[in-house]
Amino acid sequence: MERVPLERKVLSENDKLAAELRARFHQHGILCLNLISSPGSGKTSLLERTLEKLPRQTRVAVLTGDIQTENDADRLKRAGFPVKQITTGGTCHLDARMIDKHLAEWRLDDIDLLLIENVGNLVCPSSYDLGEEAKVVVLSVTEGEDKPLKYPSIFFKSELMVLNKVDLLPYVPFDATVAEENARKVHPGMEIVRVSCTTGEGLDGWLAWIERRRRSALTVGKAFVAAPGAEPGS
Ligand SMILES: Nc1nc2c(ncn2[C@@H]2O[C@H](COP(=O)(O)OP(=O)(O)OP(=O)(O)O)[C@@H](O)[C@H]2O)c(=O)[nH]1
Ligand SMILES: [Mg+2]
């Protein structure tokens, strides 16, 4: 079918720009995370709690994607860090071009941690590299244990699954152990943290994971700068 080569071309152009973004993030020692989930799983809530709890000296910036409204950016701006809304106007995922465009007014040297909230969707965002260091999938306990089996691509590509809304476990027929087993069927060895953005339970595990990834991003950044000829335009 003629649709296939066109899709490939769009994806390969995206991959090229994403690779340039990744090189820039490494060069500036930025850890970039791409948060993906179904609508309403709690991505913005997780970011709100993260911004509240991160050490004050962390230089964090947030890009948040939605099809319409600035609601999530308005929520996240309350924490006082730089936040930009990306309104896609209908597109069901963010792409590398949108990230590049919305980063243009920020000095990358002023950022240590770039958090990207993707458009709520478990399918389309999994195909688009944004130059992130890691994808993080958020699953909430109201969605069913079988979601990793139904939407395997995003669970396979994500390095961490955040299982959110565990405060609701007593009230919903959701077996967290089965959900985690399903995630690891698709992605053996996948890291998982259970959290509640409402009660704060488990958030220390999530913050510790970010801190570990930040340390390794800094090591990669130093190796990148030391490597001869590795400097891309930034
Ligand atoms: N009980 C409970 N509710 C939560 C938790 N986390 C988020 N919520 C609620 O879930 C709803 C959706 O949360 P959001 O953070 O807006 O979800 P989102 O993934 O950002 O949604 P989209 O951006 O629309 O895809 C809100 O009403 C939150 O208050 C949690 O841990 N426990
Ligand atoms: Mg949101």
Side-chain angles (χ1 to χ4, degrees):
M1 277 172 76
E2 291 187 21
R3 222 178 106 226
V4 175
L6 180 62
E7 189 178 329
R8 278 211 193 113
K9 187 159 180 274
V10 171
L11 283 175
S12 77
E13 276 172 20
N14 186 77
D15 285 350
K16 221 171 111 197
L17 181 52
E20 283 172 32
L21 285 169
R22 182 168 292 107
R24 271 154 62 188
F25 296 151
H26 285 167
Q27 189 187 20
H28 292 270
I30 296 172
L31 173 65
C32 175
L33 301 176
N34 178 5
L35 271 68
I36 297 171
S37 82
S38 307
S41 304
K43 298 176 296 301
T44 310
S45 304
L46 184 64
L47 291 176
E48 286 176 311
R49 297 305 293 250
T50 307
L51 296 179
E52 271 167 37
K53 283 179 162 278
L54 277 172
R56 293 316 297 171
Q57 69 274 18
T58 312
R59 299 177 310 164
V60 52
V62 184
L63 296 174
T64 181
D66 273 300
I67 288 176
Q68 290 296 349
T69 85
E70 301 249 336
N71 292 357
D72 284 1
D74 291 344
R75 283 167 65 186
L76 292 163
K77 276 178 188 164
R78 290 181 201 136
F81 293 100
V83 175
K84 276 195 195 154
Q85 180 80 46
I86 305 177
T87 308
T88 67
T91 307
C92 56
H93 58 83
L94 297 180
D95 63 32
R97 191 185 44 80
M98 297 175 197
I99 301 303
D100 188 42
K101 183 174 157 207
H102 285 81
L103 280 177
E105 289 166 17
W106 285 341
R107 267 172 48 85
L108 295 189
D109 274 338
D110 295 338
I111 301 174
D112 301 321
L113 176 62
L114 176 64
L115 298 169
I116 302 175
E117 174 180 348
N118 219 309
V119 178
N121 186 322
L122 275 182
V123 183
C124 314
S126 83
S127 302
Y128 285 82
D129 185 0
L130 305 181
E132 72 274 344
E133 192 64 21
K135 290 182 173 60
V136 173
V137 63
V138 182
L139 176 68
S140 65
V141 306
T142 53
E143 294 171 60
E145 301 93 346
D146 58 352
K147 291 302 165 289
L149 304 178
K150 285 188 173 177
Y151 303 93
S153 174
I154 190 54
F155 288 87
F156 177 70
K157 290 181 181 173
S158 296
E159 295 193 28
L160 177 74
M161 177 171 101
V162 177
L163 183 61
N164 188 31
K165 308 195 187 181
V166 296
D167 57 291
L168 298 179
L169 279 173
Y171 314 107
V172 291
F174 181 94
D175 188 328
T177 307
V178 172
E180 291 173 353
E181 282 168 5
N182 286 340
R184 288 188 173 126
K185 273 183 199 155
V186 172
H187 184 161
M190 184 181 205
E191 289 189 81
I192 297 172
V193 289
R194 294 185 186 187
V195 307
S196 165
C197 293
T198 299
T199 66
E201 181 185 343
L203 289 170
D204 287 349
W206 156 242
L207 293 169
W209 185 87
I210 294 182
E211 192 46 41
R212 275 201 305 282
R213 297 304 304 238
R214 270 195 61 203
R215 275 195 236 114
S216 57
L218 280 175
T219 313
V220 171
K222 279 182 195 142
F224 184 88
V225 171
E231 299 238 337
S234 82

